[in-house]
Structures are given as C-alpha cells and as structure tokens.
C-alpha cells in the first residue's frame, strides 16, 4: 500500500460542447515525485492542467490536494498550494522580473488592501520579506542578475524560468509545468532539468508536460500518457517507453531506439552538456507569441 498522494485527480472528464477533451482521467502524484505527462498535440494535457488548477470545472470527477477536494477557483487553488506555469507564457511584460515574482508572493500574503493604505510596520515588514523571498527565488532559478529587467526584454528561456519563480513564490506543494522547455536550446533545457530536480529537493512535487520525450524519460519518476483524452499507459519511464501502445500511438519508434536515445542523453549530460537534445521549437508570430501546432 503506497503513501497517500499529495495530488489526486479522480476520474476527471471535460466535455466542450460535443467534444470530449478528457475522459475519466485519474492521476496520483506522490510527495517528492516528478511526474511526466506526455501525449500528441490535442491529447488534452493542457486541459487536464486547467482542470487541476480550477480554471475549468470538470464535467465529472474531482481533484484532491492531500485528501481535500479543491474548489474550481484558480485563486483558491493557488492558496491551497497548487501553482502552475502556462504553455503560452503569461507574464506581466511591462513589469520587472522582481515585480512579476512579487505578484506570485502577494497571492500568498495575508495583508488585505486596508493594510497597504495605512502602510504600518507590519505592512512594511511583510513587503520587505516578500521582496527578500522574491530575490531569493530569482537567484534560485538563475535570474538573480535580471531582477530589474522588464519581463518583455528577457530572452525567451529566461521568461520561462521567471514564470517558474513566480509560481514558486506562492509556496506551492505541487508545481505544474506546461512545456517548460519549449523554445529552449539544449543547454537551457538541461538547466531546466536540473532546476526541476532542485525544486523537488525543496519538497515540492512536480508534474511536467513536455513533447521532448528524452527530457521526460530522463527527468521523471513516473510517466502518464494521454491519447485522445484518455490515459493510455502509466508507469515508470522504463515501462512506458517499452509499451507497444505508446510506441504505436506516440513515440513512433521501437523501444531499443528510444532506449539508445535516452542512454545517449544521459552520457552527454555526464560529459558536460547534451548537444544533440532535440528541442521542439514552438511556432511563434511576429510578437513572439506561440501559436499553431508543431
Ligand atoms: N476552452 C475550450 N473550448 C473548446 N475546446 C477546447 C478548449 N480547450 C481545449 N479544447 C480542445 O480540447 C482538446 C485538447 O486540447 P489541449 O490544449 O488540452 O491539448 P494538449 O494535449 O495540451 O495539446 P498540445 O500538445 O498541442 O498543447 C483539443 O481538441 C482542443 O481544441
Ligand atoms: Mg497543451
């Protein structure tokens, strides 16, 4: 009998009009676990995150954090301890890195609007602590020197890291990352893998959506595969990447080839950096926004 999960999704279904985007999807995330969620475009991965974070109210099923059913209200879910990043980066572009992280911090602070009107000592102390914590988190994600930069001026990979810092500022128990390495070069991808390990070390359980399967198989303890809104297979990376259904529906190559790729990746990492990691570049419009399918 395994320990109770920190996050549990129980038979979550999501129907949009005539389209069933998710059908009875369940998930168990254990404390200290890094869980990968993979599947083809349109499989329902982001929709599932939207259900886990209260952005969507599932048509059936529910989501529990440490045994308590979560409300379908994103702000309340954040306060309860589930934080996320978005597939299409959502930062405040005209605010600095520090200010963006402070927005996450304030989602967690108890002081109401009246406190900020009177600016008493408790308010000042709270603000100072929030700033210190935000700076610490920027340092943690590797953006310590960029605290004064406007978010819109940061390179793309740094914007993704800033979103992670902002999510961590809410003191989550669970962090959900929707394609955290999309658009990153191999070095940034590897830095992100190490960052996710470091986040786990701080006691936060993580769910990661990614298309880069080498990244997922070398990062996660457990992998769930969604295809057409249904959970096709779940298990350890070894089990999942050898499953004929996953190979047919998603990987499109034989297990020994996938195995060799993952081994090669591990060796490259051990020898100072993966040169050959395939990074799927998101399609972006002129303003740098992602769009379209890969
Ligand atoms: N708000 C919505 N209204 C209607 N249909 C939606 C909505 N959100 C998602 N869908 C549909 O649900 C399905 C799953 O989409 P979703 O974005 O969750 O896929 P995904 O697995 O994240 O894909 P990708 O890898 O491309 O990001 C798609 O057919 C999508 O068009
Ligand atoms: Mg998605």
């Amino acid at each position: 009998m395994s320990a109770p999960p920190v996050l549990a999704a129980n038979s979550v279904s999501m129907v949009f009009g005539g389209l069933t985007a998710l059908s009875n999807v369940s998930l168990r995330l254990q404390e200290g676990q890094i869980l990968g969620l993979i599947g083809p475009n349109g499989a329902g991965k982001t929709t599932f995150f939207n259900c886990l974070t209260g952005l969507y109210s599932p048509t059936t099923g529910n989501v529990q954090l440490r045994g308590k059913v979560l409300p379908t209200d994103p702000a309340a879910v954040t306060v309860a301890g589930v934080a996320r990043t978005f597939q299409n980066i959502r930062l405040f572009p005209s605010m600095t890195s520090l200010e963006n992280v402070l927005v996450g911090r304030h989602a967690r602070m108890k002081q109401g609007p009246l406190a900020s009107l009177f600016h008493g000592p408790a308010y000042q102390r709270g603000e100072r602590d929030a700033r210190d914590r935000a700076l610490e988190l920027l340092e943690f994600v590797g953006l310590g020197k960029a605290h004064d930069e406007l978010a819109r001026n940061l390179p793309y990979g740094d914007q993704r890291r800033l979103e992670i810092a902002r999510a961590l500022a809410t003191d989550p128990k669970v962090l959900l990352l929707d394609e955290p390495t999309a658009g990153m070069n191999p070095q940034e991808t590897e830095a992100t893998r190490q960052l996710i390990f470091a986040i786990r070390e701080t006691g936060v359980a993580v769910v990661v959506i990614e298309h880069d399967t080498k990244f997922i198989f070398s990062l996660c303890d457990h992998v769930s595969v969604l295809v057409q809104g249904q959970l096709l297979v779940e298990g350890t990376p070894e089990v999942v990447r050898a499953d004929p259904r996953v190979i047919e529906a998603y990987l499109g190559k034989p297990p020994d080839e996938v195995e060799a790729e993952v081994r090669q990746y591990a060796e490259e990492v051990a020898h100072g950096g993966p040169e050959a990691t395939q990074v799927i570049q998101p399609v972006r419009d002129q303003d740098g926004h992602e769009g379209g399918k890969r």
Side-chain angles (χ1 to χ4, degrees):
M1 191 58 200
S2 55
V6 56
L7 187 76
N10 304 304
S11 299
V12 167
S13 297
M14 188 74 223
V15 180
F16 298 110
L19 177 95
T20 302
L22 292 172
S23 180
N24 284 315
V25 178
S26 293
L27 168 141
R28 298 274 174 276
L29 176 70
Q30 304 297 335
E31 302 274 1
Q33 200 172 44
I34 302 175
L35 188 151
L37 187 59
I38 62 174
N41 290 128
K45 304 179 296 295
T46 298
T47 301
F48 190 53
F49 269 17
N50 290 342
C51 291
L52 294 177
T53 52
L55 210 56
Y56 292 165
S57 175
T59 311
T60 64
N62 66 26
V63 181
Q64 292 175 309
L65 184 73
R66 291 191 175 156
K68 267 183 78 176
V69 174
L70 285 172
T72 50
D73 165 11
V77 170
T78 304
V79 172
V82 181
R84 74 175 295 179
T85 63
F86 291 88
Q87 184 169 352
N88 301 303
I89 297 174
R90 292 191 193 177
L91 289 166
F92 298 99
S94 304
M95 285 165 56
T96 65
S97 302
L98 178 63
E99 287 164 346
N100 268 279
V101 180
L102 281 170
V103 170
R105 198 71 202 144
H106 285 131
R108 161 68 55 198
M109 284 164 71
K110 293 190 184 72
Q111 292 168 354
L114 277 183
S116 62
L117 269 182
F118 296 116
H119 285 210
Y123 171 82
Q124 307 278 3
R125 199 167 46 247
E127 286 301 305
R128 211 171 39 239
D129 290 351
R131 191 184 147 87
D132 288 349
R133 178 68 180 140
L135 287 170
E136 195 176 278
L137 285 169
L138 283 170
E139 196 71 46
F140 180 68
V141 303
L143 291 176
K145 291 194 178 70
H147 62 92
D148 254 352
E149 288 280 343
L150 295 184
R152 67 161 171 259
N153 293 339
L154 291 177
Y156 189 68
D158 287 355
Q159 292 191 19
R160 288 223 175 264
R161 268 193 282 275
L162 178 55
E163 253 207 327
I164 294 177
R166 186 178 61 187
L168 289 173
T170 66
D171 285 344
K173 299 174 180 72
V174 172
L175 176 64
L176 310 178
L177 302 171
D178 197 344
E179 303 200 20
T181 70
M184 287 187 172
N185 66 34
Q187 286 72 28
E188 289 175 316
T189 300
E190 175 52 18
T192 303
R193 199 172 73 102
Q194 296 304 332
L195 175 61
I196 296 169
F197 284 135
I199 290 169
R200 183 246 297 273
E201 288 302 307
T202 69
V204 177
V206 186
V207 186
V208 191
I209 294 175
E210 256 308 336
H211 284 280
D212 180 345
T213 47
K214 275 185 282 177
F215 174 83
I216 286 287
F217 290 145
S218 61
L219 170 74
C220 301
D221 311 301
H222 190 96
V223 178
S224 294
V225 186
L226 263 188
V227 174
Q228 292 181 358
Q230 299 195 12
L231 200 58
L232 182 74
V233 176
E234 61 173 325
T236 62
E238 293 72 28
V239 166
V240 168
R241 67 184 180 229
D243 190 295
R245 290 166 298 175
V246 178
I247 293 157
E248 190 190 330
Y250 188 45
L251 298 175
K253 42 188 141 184
D256 51 349
E257 209 173 296
V258 178
E259 196 71 50
E261 276 183 7
V262 172
R263 213 175 311 113
Q264 186 193 347
Y265 183 87
E267 273 168 26
E268 282 163 356
V269 170
H271 291 94
E275 292 304 321
T277 307
Q278 181 204 353
V279 176
I280 302 163
Q281 299 290 341
V283 182
R284 267 176 258 155
D285 62 23
Q286 284 174 335
D287 298 327
H289 299 118
E290 290 175 28
K293 300 281 181 193
R294 282 168 290 270

